[in-house]
Amino acid sequence: MLVAKLAFRNIFRQRRRSLLTGLSMGGGYILLALTISLVEGSYNNIINIVTTDHTGHVQIHKENYLERPGIFKTLSRGSGIETLLANEPSVRSWAPRIYGVGLGYGDEKSAPLSIVGIDPVMERNTTSIFGKVREGNYFSDPVNSDGYYSVMIGYGVADMLKLSIGDEIVLISSGADGSIANDIYRVGALVGSRDSYEKMTVYLPLEAAQDFFSMKGKVHEYAVMTSHPSEAWKLTAVLSAIIDDPLVTVSPWQVVEATFYKSMEADKQGNKVTMGIVVFLICIGVLNTVLMSVLERTKEFGVMLAVGTNRLMVMAMIILEIVTLGLLSCAIGFLLSLPLLYWFTHVGITMPQPIDMGGVIYDTMVGEMGAAIFIIPVVIIVGSAAAVSFIPAIRAALITPLDALSDR
Amino acid sequence: MSKVIETSHLCRYFGEGELLVKALDDVSIDVEEGEFSAIIGPSGSGKSTLLHLIGGLDKPTHGEVILAGTNIESMTRSALSNFRRDHIGFVFQAYNLIPVLSTIENIEYVMLMQGVPSSERRKRVFEMLDILGLDGLGGRRPAQLSGGQQQRVAVARAMVSRPNIILADEPTANLDSKTGISLLDMMKDLNVRHGMTFIFSTHDQKIMDRARRLIHLRDGLIELDEQRKEFAA
Ligand SMILES: Nc1ncnc2c1ncn2[C@@H]1O[C@H](COP(=O)(O)OP(=O)(O)OP(=O)(O)O)[C@@H](O)[C@H]1O
Ligand SMILES: [Mg+2]
């Protein structure tokens, strides 16, 4: 109590200096909170785009499929995985897929394509594919009178093969049983953009793809969604445990999109360096302030020690002073950053050059709000200020009373 | 009666070479419990230095100080600090109050550290304010007090925790004679009733008149150690 009283009064003694130090800490708070909010916000945004665009939060494959994909590395739809997924409460949705390559023929030209079989309903519930349809209808047309399935193609396919809605496309490949696969389909929709990753893809309804590749009842992949990308590792562990099959591999998006994830983490480290510099500058200011105030009050500490004040108490007082000032500054910084962060989170910065991420337009940098974003800067600023003031505090505690008292 | 303070061959030198000042040179005195003694001598004779050494605020160049049977050289820093807090009250020549604390807070400071309960603290503080004529000044900070008022607060701070020994460096120097006398009467009363030991450094005739023993210092040496017969028990 006594320590707190002394500390508090000492803050208001050198008002100007306390104000300056407080400003640097409060400003630092706002800067850190804003940076963290924007960094977390944009990464979460990008992660959301990547995971909902196609990847999902977790994927399930035959073992080694991710390292070396192959048409034979299949999972059987009847193997029980789907029942487990349907019964696992943390699974929000999931979608089965088939992947293959083949040649596509338009009227005059041919081109190599990637062929993806998806379940129209489940895929739509799991990823954002439905929203990326630019022309035509998403698998809504029934098999037509000629028995042709309606398919969806990327813009690269449309351009190269000169195809538009309603045209026929012929696909040729080899089936899983070694047979030659070929069939005619109708272009029902155009998806994505001219430079999205699926520009050379043809999407087939899952059964059509199973027929085409002679893979009845089989799939290559399940994409699974849970509540949030950050839950992916947890869901991976849960699913691995309940599937309990060494030949089946469950991978979180961090593994599936390893390159993306690593470069993002590296980028985050870069941001930490920036924040480190901010903190370092604050620390220099704090150290300067505390050293000065200790020096000025040498005599006072001498008196306190002379009348029997514990040395630890002198230290505690000095550290408490800066901690109190830090908390006050952060509280004010918090109040000031609240509207700023609110604006960043709900309006955001419009980017001068929108980024097209696989047909998903990323044009606004938005921040993130949350307890952590407000608390982390307090911990960093108050913590480092307290750490820095240890040096002057020890110095004050080691004052020899009489040296401090004598004016000579 | 037992010895509360003992100094043997106490020397304190400042500076070196040509600038060497022997502030104290071979001072040996014994102080009995319950003494009411004054160290007197001209300015620069070493009075403050002697009080500082006795209180453990300064270290002697040679010689030793024994407080209540313990050589303070053998005490740890924190033991000495606690000893000072619990057994010695200091009145500094330059009052040395804590600037951010009010009169009342300055006076109760040591009691706070000793953990004296708040009702008892208040009682003793107000008693002191009354005796020293500081009523109405309890809420002021040192900067808002005159020199004499600050000195009275410093005296109150030293005495309020009822230490066994009070070392007072010119406690009446800035007081008018009436306040000085009432302060001395109070000290004398504490001395007689509670057996508190007082050692003053002073130029003040009023103190010299009341002291049972006068230690005359000159140039760091004891010139005369005078027990005054009129006070002999
Ligand atoms: N820290 C110091 N450094 C150098 N010399 C000192 C120091 N402290 C005291 N002295 C010297 O020691 C001598 C004794 O000083 P001291 O303060 O004990 O005298 P005093 O008897 O209390 O004088 P006064 O009556 O003026 O208070 C003086 O010559 C003084 O200059
Ligand atoms: Mg003196």
Side-chain angles (χ1 to χ4, degrees):
Chain A
M1 248 326 285
L2 179 60
V3 181
K5 182 156 73 184
L6 285 165
F8 202 75
R9 291 198 188 159
N10 280 319
I11 293 175
F12 290 98
R13 192 155 153 209
Q14 282 284 350
R15 271 164 232 257
R16 251 235 318 249
R17 191 160 62 212
S18 293
L19 191 69
L20 279 175
T21 317
L23 275 179
S24 83
M25 290 199 277
Y29 175 91
I30 297 176
L31 217 60
L32 288 187
L34 229 64
T35 315
I36 296 175
S37 165
L38 271 183
V39 167
E40 288 303 311
S42 26
Y43 284 128
N44 284 344
N45 205 350
I46 294 173
I47 290 168
N48 257 324
I49 289 173
V50 168
T51 52
T52 57
D53 181 57
H54 179 76
T55 308
H57 295 149
V58 167
Q59 292 190 350
I60 305 172
H61 304 99
K62 188 85 175 178
E63 65 165 341
N64 285 331
Y65 184 86
L66 278 178
E67 294 82 36
R68 298 193 59 200
I71 195 162
F72 307 107
K73 294 180 180 170
T74 57
L75 301 170
S76 185
R77 291 201 73 176
S79 69
I81 291 178
E82 297 191 7
T83 324
L84 291 173
L85 288 175
N87 291 333
E88 168 53 40
S90 59
V91 169
R92 215 187 55 200
S93 65
W94 50 277
R97 292 163 181 171
I98 280 179
Y99 294 99
V101 287
L103 274 177
Y105 289 82
D107 265 353
E108 300 158 17
K109 292 196 170 167
S110 68
L113 313 167
S114 87
I115 300 167
V116 180
I118 56 175
D119 181 306
V121 176
M122 299 179 93
E123 191 69 33
R124 180 178 171 171
N125 289 336
T126 304
T127 63
S128 56
I129 191 158
F130 180 76
K132 294 198 294 178
V133 173
R134 294 280 171 273
E135 292 173 52
N137 297 314
Y138 174 82
F139 295 115
S140 57
D141 311 333
V143 176
N144 76 357
S145 51
D146 298 327
Y148 298 165
Y149 279 102
S150 165
V151 301
M152 204 159 65
I153 62 174
Y155 274 91
V157 180
D159 286 352
M160 280 182 86
L161 303 184
K162 299 197 163 43
L163 294 173
S164 50
I165 305 291
D167 291 348
E168 288 178 357
I169 176 171
V170 175
L171 297 180
I172 298 184
S173 183
S174 60
D177 57 358
S179 63
I180 291 197
N182 65 80
D183 215 331
I184 303 175
Y185 300 92
R186 223 160 20 83
V187 175
L190 291 176
V191 69
S193 67
R194 292 209 151 64
D195 39 31
S196 64
Y197 81 95
E198 70 263 82
K199 62 179 182 282
M200 293 309 290
T201 299
V202 177
Y203 287 100
L204 270 53
L206 191 66
E207 301 133 61
Q210 285 171 333
D211 282 349
F212 182 73
F213 287 117
S214 310
M215 283 178 56
K216 214 131 204 71
K218 302 236 156 91
V219 295
H220 288 123
E221 175 178 288
Y222 289 104
V224 184
M225 282 294 191
T226 179
S227 54
H228 194 267
S230 60
E231 299 287 298
W233 285 107
K234 208 160 96 192
L235 182 61
T236 301
V238 169
L239 292 180
S240 300
I242 57 175
I243 292 171
D244 191 26
D245 182 345
L247 298 180
V248 175
T249 307
V250 184
S251 322
W253 64 267
Q254 290 95 329
V255 170
V256 178
E257 304 288 350
T259 319
F260 160 73
Y261 180 64
K262 277 179 196 142
S263 69
M264 192 185 75
E265 288 297 301
D267 222 59
K268 275 191 179 177
Q269 292 304 318
N271 282 309
K272 281 190 190 144
V273 173
T274 316
M275 291 197 272
I277 292 171
V278 171
V279 172
F280 179 72
L281 291 177
I282 295 173
C283 281
I284 290 183
V286 167
L287 183 64
N288 184 43
T289 302
V290 181
L291 271 177
M292 261 180 26
S293 81
V294 164
L295 211 68
E296 278 175 4
R297 288 188 281 154
T298 302
K299 182 161 175 172
E300 217 170 304
F301 297 131
V303 178
M304 293 175 71
L305 293 168
V307 298
T309 310
N310 192 306
R311 283 172 196 273
L312 284 178
M313 186 174 140
V314 172
M315 278 184 74
M317 184 182 83
I318 292 167
I319 292 169
L320 199 64
E321 263 173 56
I322 201 72
V323 166
T324 310
L325 184 59
L327 288 175
L328 280 175
S329 313
C330 287
I332 294 168
F334 167 73
L335 291 179
L336 292 178
S337 65
L338 213 53
L340 267 173
L341 282 188
Y342 186 86
W343 184 82
F344 269 118
T345 309
H346 293 271
V347 183
I349 310 172
T350 307
M351 310 232 286
Q353 194 81 50
I355 301 172
D356 180 343
M357 299 195 67
V360 181
I361 305 299
Y362 178 62
D363 59 355
T364 348
M365 218 161 126
V366 293
E368 177 128 317
M369 279 259 219
I373 283 154
F374 293 113
I375 293 167
I376 291 169
V378 182
V379 175
I380 295 178
I381 289 179
V382 175
S384 43
V388 158
S389 35
F390 250 90
I391 307 157
I394 287 173
R395 215 176 128 153
L398 292 181
I399 285 174
T400 322
L402 198 71
D403 287 350
L405 291 178
S406 72
D407 305 313
R408 279 171 270 232
Chain B
M1 273 201 231
S2 61
K3 278 186 233 170
V4 282
I5 302 164
E6 211 180 326
T7 75
S8 74
H9 308 292
L10 215 50
C11 299
R12 180 65 171 103
Y13 304 156
F14 293 103
E16 43 187 61
E18 300 218 331
L19 296 173
L20 184 79
V21 176
K22 296 186 170 182
L24 280 185
D25 200 8
D26 198 24
V27 170
S28 299
I29 53 169
D30 291 348
V31 177
E32 302 282 339
E33 192 181 337
E35 269 193 27
F36 202 78
S37 305
I39 303 166
I40 58 174
S43 179
S45 57
K47 305 182 293 294
S48 297
T49 306
L50 180 55
L51 288 181
H52 293 154
L53 287 174
I54 290 173
L57 288 177
D58 194 8
K59 280 197 188 326
T61 314
H62 301 295
E64 46 198 32
V65 176
I66 292 152
L67 289 180
T70 313
N71 186 338
I72 61 173
E73 199 61 39
S74 70
M75 292 192 199
T76 63
R77 266 221 257 225
S78 66
L80 181 58
S81 166
N82 286 344
F83 186 90
R84 217 160 34 222
R85 183 190 69 198
D86 296 334
H87 301 289
I88 299 181
F90 246 107
V91 182
F92 300 96
Q93 195 165 3
Y95 334 123
N96 289 332
L97 301 173
I98 298 172
V100 289
L101 297 183
S102 68
T103 298
I104 290 177
E105 289 162 342
N106 260 293
I107 296 176
E108 69 177 354
Y109 184 82
V110 177
M111 290 191 289
L112 268 171
M113 288 190 299
Q114 289 173 327
V116 177
S118 107
S119 56
E120 174 67 14
R121 278 199 319 260
R122 291 280 136 170
K123 196 182 126 235
R124 289 205 225 163
V125 168
F126 284 104
E127 201 176 59
M128 276 294 168
L129 291 176
D130 185 41
I131 293 171
L132 292 170
L134 291 166
D135 309 84
L137 303 179
R140 294 211 194 162
R141 300 272 176 96
Q144 302 165 318
L145 297 173
S146 75
Q149 289 165 338
Q150 288 185 50
Q151 184 163 37
R152 279 179 271 164
V153 177
V155 169
R157 178 181 63 187
M159 310 222 306
V160 79
S161 61
R162 310 223 172 118
N164 332 32
I165 304 167
I166 292 202
L167 304 173
D169 202 350
E170 316 220 10
T172 55
N174 276 303
L175 301 185
D176 61 71
S177 122
K178 195 168 141 265
T179 318
I181 289 172
S182 75
L183 177 65
L184 283 170
D185 287 345
M186 182 194 72
M187 290 179 171
K188 191 78 206 181
D189 186 52
L190 287 170
N191 170 251
V192 172
R193 279 206 291 171
H194 300 283
M196 276 161 71
T197 308
F198 284 80
I199 302 179
F200 304 96
S201 102
T202 193
H203 297 285
D204 185 350
Q205 193 57 44
K206 292 190 294 297
I207 296 186
M208 297 187 219
D209 289 345
R210 287 166 173 75
R212 250 174 293 184
R213 176 183 178 188
L214 294 177
I215 300 164
H216 299 252
L217 276 188
R218 182 179 294 275
D219 297 333
L221 293 161
I222 298 183
E223 199 180 41
L224 178 65
D225 191 346
E226 180 187 4
Q227 293 285 348
R228 308 191 50 217
K229 298 245 165 30
E230 58 266 47
F231 288 99

